[in-house]
Amino acid sequence: MLKLVLTRTAASLVAIFGASILAFVLLRVAPADPARLLAGPFATEEVVEAQRVALGLKDSLVSQYFRYIGDFFQGDWGFSFSVGRPVIDQIGSRLPASIELGLYAFIFALVGAVICALLATYRRRRAVDHTINGFALFGLGTPPFWLALIVLLVFFGILDILPGPEGRLSPRQEAPPEVTRMYTIDALLAGQLGTFFDAGKHLLLPALVLGFAPWAFFFRLLRASLLEVSGEQYLATARSKGIRRWTAFRRHALPNAFLPTLTAAGLIFAALLAGSVLVESVYQWPGLGALVRDGVIEQDYAVVQAFILIGAFAYVVVNLVVDILYGVIDPRTRTGSAVTK
Amino acid sequence: MSTSVAEHGQGAGLSPEHGGHVLRVAGLQSEFRSRRGTVKAVRAVSLELEPGQRVGIVGESGSGKSAFALSVLGLLEPPGYVVGGEVILNGRNIAELDDRQMQTVRGKEISIVFQDPMSALNPVKTIGQQITETIRKHQPQLGKKGARAAAIELLRDVEVPAAGRRIDDYPHQYSGGMRQRVMIAIALANQPNVLIADEPTTALDVTTQAQVLTLLDRLVTERGTAVILITHNLGIVAQFCDVVYVMYAGRVVERAATADLFAHPVHPYTEALLRAVPRPDQLAQGPLPSIPGAPPNLAEVAPGCSFESRCPLGRGHKLCRTEVPVSTAAIGFGSGGATAECHFAKERVAEYLDGDATTA
């Protein structure tokens, strides 16, 4: 098990290194010239050239890369000229918002999918199965921005029981003391229940909308594996021991059926953490998605570069966790090869 | 009685006399329902098992052997349903129990070993977890440590080497034969009165088959467990069983003491089955003997004898095509209780008796 953790961690480091090179190179070959953008459209060629030297763009690519990585680890992620703030400040304020939203969306999706998949398969009720499956197809086929607008219209516009697109808190609500910068968690830590409920109300719609398609995806995956596993002989063995059908299902079917979903869950969780441009836009959510959208439009490449690296980091870390969880659930993956015991 | 469905009479749950039988199945019927029709997989099967007795059920694939086993345990899963009959285990009709009550019966009074040990164990749980699961269910007083000690003891008993260490292994670290030993350990963990072994050696290679069978023989003899051995290997039946039931198309077509069945098969199907056993000394004489035709489609049972279309005896007899043969007692030779479901059973027995008289 320790060997598994070590080898997977090493592989993850290699992957992050690769991603950093990619982030670095992609933006060097992108058409925008940062020196020209900084100096402005009316600057003379001499000024732009001087700017290039000042930015270190005249150095060799290798030394530029090492400077970039060295700065990155020291917290200098570059300067966002379009906003006029260091990139790390911007990301520091945006990332927790995206993580909080992504986290809740993921929890809705996964917990909902497990419950629905069990409902759809355990009792073998055709009507239940068909109904949930219909919802899942709807979830997979619905554009999230459309759904985001529709639920906003219903729950804010018509019923008026949930807040409108005003970000993470009501306008007059003060943010809780900063610990994790995730408002629901910080509010709980500070014991501010009012803030907690306010943040929760603001999270509900965007998290549900963002989690809807992943829910549908997880549900269909889990349902298929549960159906497959429920025909396995070891369930009959468990039942022949006098174990309750539900206990046999939970203890023997679910862990086996969960493996394919776990892989997918890792990928989707990482994607959710990195923010969603469309849903964040609709709800005025101050997350990473909106930041990167603006960064791309403004050709503010320090922002994009930092985002790529953070995204890669999220994917790699989440997949590392998935790999280790795989080892915990399925003993067959613990050893490098099946032959060496 | 064998053709009629036994009704659930009042107070059938605890009949005062169960005649020394640890298990008595009467008129058990189960079916599989699908949109295309209902397949009657088990058609009024009756079976008696005395304490410590070994009964073999033989028959080709699809004859209803496994469906019968699952029906007895109440483990038939939809679309399969038990639709009639009694299963009297230790004096009470377990076919009437609900699932909650059956949970105290399964694994304790009656248990089962499945055919394929590769898929009968959960790949993500240790061997120990899977054995202690049944011990802790039925002997909770042992506690966690006691159950583990009992599981190690069981593993030793089924001759798994280094049991104390290998109890924490996973199924993929065990060979097929070892896994089947584990399955036997699970089945015998709570000293059941009845063990159903559903083709326990079919998935194993021949040398392992012999080892597992010898082990099973020793364990059930020591414990006095009655066994229903389901197989299509007649050699195993000859070696292991006291009584043989021959199943065909969801019915028991012949029942006899093992020696009698091999010496005097009354039902033509039994005879054909025995003739189909390959004999190494006769292989040079041509292709292996086989039974022409295929078993009937149990979704639409035709009138008459279900073996009629393949039967060398019944050819041309109108009776065989129109009348379902009743179970006829094959009285006259061997131990009592032999029956055969054939219109010609009496004639066949008489022939055997004549033959025996002339050769004697």
Side-chain angles (χ1 to χ4, degrees), chain A residues 124 237 241 251-252 256, chain B residues 35 77 120 122 130 133 138:
Chain A
R124 294 195 193 79
T237 304
K241 296 173 187 171
R251 212 181 273 171
H252 295 279
N256 280 291
Chain B
R35 267 182 216 162
E77 292 263 311
N122 185 343
Q130 301 191 53
E133 186 175 36
H138 299 291

Side-chain angles (χ1 to χ4, degrees), chain A residues 74-87:
Chain A
Q74 286 166 25
D76 178 4
W77 294 3
F79 190 81
S80 164
F81 55 85
S82 69
V83 183
R85 284 173 67 195
V87 173

Side-chain angles (χ1 to χ4, degrees), chain B residues 5-203:
Chain B
V5 184
E7 292 293 325
H8 292 195
Q10 276 189 330
L14 259 182
S15 90
E17 41 161 342
H18 49 281
H21 293 130
V22 61
L23 177 72
R24 192 167 66 78
V25 180
L28 190 66
Q29 289 183 309
S30 11
E31 58 190 36
F32 290 89
R33 294 171 195 159
S34 76
R35 267 182 216 162
R36 278 173 294 150
T38 301
V39 174
K40 296 192 166 66
V42 179
R43 301 190 290 153
V45 169
S46 300
L47 178 144
E48 278 119 39
L49 190 65
E50 289 162 21
Q53 196 182 29
R54 286 100 169 269
V55 161
I57 300 181
V58 296
E60 60 199 280
S61 305
S63 59
K65 309 186 298 283
S66 294
F68 171 75
L70 290 174
S71 303
V72 168
L73 280 158
L75 281 181
L76 209 58
E77 292 263 311
Y81 300 90
V82 175
V83 288
E86 291 184 321
V87 180
I88 315 284
L89 176 70
N90 292 325
R92 73 183 192 290
N93 185 2
I94 59 169
E96 287 182 333
L97 299 183
D98 61 28
D99 200 64
R100 181 171 292 274
Q101 293 167 311
M102 272 307 279
Q103 285 162 22
T104 63
V105 175
R106 283 186 214 118
K108 177 126 199 289
E109 293 175 45
I110 186 166
S111 55
I112 186 164
V113 173
F114 289 111
Q115 171 176 354
D116 183 8
M118 296 297 169
S119 59
L121 289 167
N122 185 343
V124 307
K125 302 267 175 202
T126 65
I127 298 293
Q129 285 170 333
Q130 301 191 53
I131 302 177
T132 51
E133 186 175 36
T134 185
I135 299 174
R136 297 205 65 189
K137 165 81 189 179
H138 299 291
Q139 303 174 59
Q141 75 280 2
L142 284 181
K144 210 170 177 175
K145 281 199 176 139
R148 188 180 157 86
I152 293 176
E153 197 49 50
L154 274 165
L155 276 183
R156 286 209 185 98
D157 221 12
V158 296
E159 295 163 17
V160 167
R165 184 169 52 82
R166 300 221 55 186
I167 188 169
D168 294 319
D169 279 356
Y170 287 89
H172 72 277
Q173 292 162 311
Y174 275 49
S175 69
M178 299 244 291
R179 286 188 221 186
Q180 198 58 301
R181 289 161 195 265
V182 171
M183 286 303 299
I184 293 172
I186 290 172
L188 294 177
N190 300 301
Q191 311 268 3
N193 307 105
V194 178
L195 171 71
I196 300 180
D198 187 0
E199 309 207 25
T201 59
T202 307

Side-chain angles (χ1 to χ4, degrees), chain B residues 197-211:
Chain B
D198 187 0
E199 309 207 25
T201 59
T202 307
L204 307 174
D205 68 71
V206 180
T207 40
T208 319
Q209 277 189 10
Q211 288 168 1

